[in-house]
Amino acid sequence: MTIRVCGVVALSLTLLSSVGGLRAQEAAQKTNEPKTIVLPLDRLNEYVGQYRPKDEPDVVISVYREGDKLYFEGERLARVQLEAESADHFFSHGLRLVFVRDAAGKVSGLTAGEQGGDEVTEVRFSEVGVRLNHFRGYSRSEVMMPMRDGAKLHAVILRPVGSEMSGEPLPFLMQRTPYGTSGVSSQGVNRGKPELAASGYIFVFADIRGRYESEGQFVMNRAIVAHTTKNDVDETTDTRDTIDWLLKNVPNNSGKVGVMGVSYPGFLAMSAGIDAHPAVKAISPQAPMTNVWMADDFFHNGAFRETYGFDYVQQLEAQKTDAVVQSKEDTFDFFLHNVNFAGAASAAKMEKLPTAKMFVTQPAYTKFWQDMAVEKHLTKVEVPTLEVGGWWDQEDMWGTQGEYAALEPHDSKHEVFLVLGPWNHGGWGGTTRHLGALDFGAATGDEYRKTIEAPFFEKYLKDRAGFDLKDTASFRTGANTWERYDVWPPKSGFHAEKLYLTKDQGLGFAAPVNGDVAASYVADPANPVPYRNRPIQPTYGTGSKWRTWLVEDQRFVSGRKDLANFSTPVLDKDVTITGDVMTDLFASTTGSDADWVVKLIDVYPDDAPAPMAGYQLMIADEIFRGRYVKSFEEPEALTPGKVTEFKWSLHGADHTFLKGHRIMVEVQSSWFPLYDRNPQTFVPNIMMAPASAYKAETQTIYGSEKYPSHLEFLVPESSAAGASGLQ
């Protein structure tokens, strides 16, 4: 959920994007800067050109000369003047650049880095230095805005310099956030949203109630309430009151408002589309927190997201700011030796924090969690809505798809749009050619922002042409192509197909005949399956691999004996799956409760180019807590030894398993410590389960004519079962 500035994929951009912040420290920095020398113009000309990292061709920087000065900039980097400390060595506000020469003495590249920090190597690919960005200057002001109940909320307003009195009234583009606004700046908005900043908007960044500079009480994911008195406030009323104030008090505005945000700000963006202010003309909830019990941040199908809930609640409720939780201990060990969440919360002295108390006392889908759910309020389309999400979003993948699914049946004017790309949480904010070891072959984040996001707001806030998305844009992974559909999941040109789990670890499109047990394993809560490579750092802690864990190579667990793998033969043609991936699992346990984790995995050939040789890439995955098989509100014990049908969604996918790959389905009964351990003995409240309740049990997966465990999804019409790519 923590998205302040959307990620960039190249280290060079990460390093250099800090230059604007370093300017504020210039006076202090100068005392540590080396002495400058003057180089002749012909020597300066040797450095002029364009540079990029070898593996990130989309992140280009330019070095160019104006008069006797040498400058450095990028498409999302403000220009800085380079000072020479010696031949080939330059600096600027804490940044160091060293130009590299080839054997013939010609400049062939450079290394860049902050003093004492990491360096990145850039390769020179052009001898022509050009201006790359279109940064506009934005003035900054701060305001306190009164709400209907008397609380005052803080906001930072950025607007193009000179626009207060110009002849062009500008629309507002607003983000409301719990993460603070002190770092908001002209440099930041130009780097973070270069396309929108270049066009020109009045940007508003507002601290929500009870956070940072705003007054009032903060309530996590504050539920929408009936508005009968002035004290009946929620995020919809605070949004309306904020907009009322802006329209009346900010000069030369056009009277139109757009609202956008990622994660928690995505939840707040959707709130702007519920009982919407008439001035709101477009919203873009991106990876929005939507139902934090059902499938977003805190629970998935009843299984508690232990590390995330533990860290995030401390981050937002233990302070008015959001300092990150840090620890040197492997969180796997920490949660294991504290037995249950109540023990871990007590150890961290967080048991009195409001949401932590609800975790412990109300682990089922009670009215408290139901009231928070956003999707039940989406019974009509009030404003044009652009929903955005990523296939490997480690925090809020479901919210994007859940909100679209709720709105789409009411979309009579065709004003609800969906974008699903090859991204982690907020990854569309960067260039994003790569995610972990994956290479998508194009700058997918740049493509989305330039061809969809910016034109969307230009259309609805400025009445400009250029937005041509009919409904859904989906990046088909594996094939690495953008697809466009009339609706999601697509209907025309696709049909449903089932992939069956069979005995001897088989997997195929033919339904099993006879058969019985497909696999069994012993799941021991004392030795749970880790969800990512250890050591496991706190979610946002130093060195954490949290942001890319969904694309980690699954070979680190696939050889364990306490899970089951089912695999197809090597594919003799491409196999494409699309839409919601549904699991229909027939299973039994010797215990009275169990968790079921199902992963759909793309297994790369052993001779694939490094680093993908033999790689096991998760495509879709999800957990289900057995006690909720009949009701999420009223959990019940499972009957030991009884074959039970468990059905749940692994959520959306649009992926091509290429010829020469294999399709694998992995089933396991723990995913620790992202999810708390199921003791496998039914207890009223797992959050407080005693150590004696945690017992090893045998889990059995069935694959027979009577009990046909399978996955179901859509495939293109041309891929009938008999031509599925299997021998």
Side-chain angles (χ1 to χ4, degrees), residues 391-648:
W391 297 128
W392 289 287
D393 190 317
Q394 74 281 5
E395 295 172 30
D396 296 293
M397 178 183 180
W398 183 84
T400 299
Q401 298 173 45
E403 289 187 354
Y404 171 87
L407 286 169
E408 194 274 332
H410 311 290
D411 187 22
S412 58
K413 296 181 180 179
H414 302 293
E415 292 181 335
V416 177
F417 309 97
L418 176 66
V419 180
L420 296 168
W423 304 309
N424 62 351
H425 195 58
W428 47 92
T431 298
T432 321
R433 173 180 287 262
H434 295 94
L435 179 62
L438 305 183
D439 185 340
F440 306 120
T444 62
D446 289 350
E447 289 178 0
Y448 152 73
R449 292 192 322 279
K450 292 176 180 179
T451 64
I452 298 178
E453 181 180 86
F456 170 76
F457 285 111
E458 293 284 286
K459 174 179 179 177
Y460 290 107
L461 298 182
K462 295 188 174 183
D463 300 317
R464 293 178 179 172
F467 181 70
D468 63 357
L469 182 60
K470 184 176 181 180
D471 189 279
T472 297
S474 167
F475 189 87
R476 182 172 292 170
T477 53
N480 290 346
T481 58
W482 281 102
E483 305 291 337
R484 295 205 172 192
Y485 303 117
D486 293 342
V487 68
W488 181 264
K491 295 178 181 178
S492 177
F494 292 84
H495 69 272
E497 195 71 86
K498 295 179 179 179
L499 187 63
Y500 293 92
L501 284 57
T502 61
K503 64 180 181 180
D504 300 324
Q505 299 182 309
L507 188 66
F509 288 91
V513 178
N514 299 320
D516 187 17
V517 172
S520 66
Y521 56 87
V522 175
D524 186 356
N527 182 27
V529 180
Y531 81 99
R532 60 180 166 107
N533 280 289
R534 298 179 62 185
I536 299 174
Q537 303 84 5
T539 308
Y540 301 112
T542 302
S544 176
K545 303 297 191 296
W546 165 252
R547 288 179 171 84
T548 57
W549 80 267
L550 280 170
V551 295
E552 280 191 15
D553 188 344
Q554 294 301 296
R555 283 180 292 184
F556 82 102
V557 296
S558 62
R560 289 176 62 119
K561 303 300 183 184
D562 54 351
L563 49 76
N565 290 320
F566 304 87
S567 178
T568 67
V570 173
L571 302 176
D572 61 11
K573 64 184 295 185
D574 294 351
V575 176
T576 295
I577 68 164
T578 302
D580 291 329
V581 180
M582 296 296 299
T583 293
D584 194 345
L585 189 72
F586 292 88
S588 66
T589 177
T590 56
S592 50
D593 199 1
D595 285 350
W596 305 104
V597 178
V598 171
K599 308 173 187 174
L600 177 63
I601 294 173
D602 187 342
V603 181
Y604 283 65
D606 290 337
D607 59 356
M612 302 306 295
Y615 206 93
Q616 295 181 4
L617 174 66
M618 285 195 295
I619 304 303
D621 45 85
E622 190 54 284
I623 191 171
F624 189 94
R625 181 144 286 175
R627 61 174 49 210
Y628 296 110
V629 67
K630 293 182 180 179
S631 166
F632 287 123
E633 294 82 7
E634 299 291 338
E636 294 182 11
L638 300 176
T639 302
K642 180 182 178 181
V643 180
T644 303
E645 183 178 15
F646 302 92
K647 298 181 70 172
W648 74 99

Side-chain angles (χ1 to χ4, degrees), residues 90-165:
F90 291 77
F91 66 93
S92 179
H93 308 295
L95 178 72
R96 295 291 193 272
L97 268 73
V98 178
F99 288 92
V100 178
R101 296 178 181 271
D102 59 21
K106 184 178 180 180
V107 173
S108 60
L110 62 81
T111 61
E114 293 179 89
Q115 188 172 15
D118 294 330
E119 292 185 339
V120 63
T121 299
E122 307 267 349
V123 178
R124 189 187 195 193
F125 69 94
S126 170
E127 296 182 12
V128 179
V130 295
R131 296 299 305 267
L132 292 177
N133 66 50
H134 304 281
F135 282 14
R136 298 182 67 158
Y138 277 77
S139 61
R140 186 182 194 276
S141 60
E142 297 188 49
V143 297
M144 294 295 290
M145 305 171 295
M147 301 293 105
R148 64 189 62 189
D149 65 338
K152 292 183 178 181
L153 305 190
H154 171 263
V156 174
I157 299 174
L158 299 177
R159 65 180 305 155
V161 173
S163 63
E164 295 92 337
M165 305 301 294

Side-chain angles (χ1 to χ4, degrees), residues 651-667:
H651 313 302
D654 198 356
H655 181 77
T656 296
F657 295 84
L658 298 175
K659 177 182 177 180
H661 290 222
R662 290 183 294 117
I663 305 173
M664 186 167 84
V665 172
E666 191 163 82
V667 183

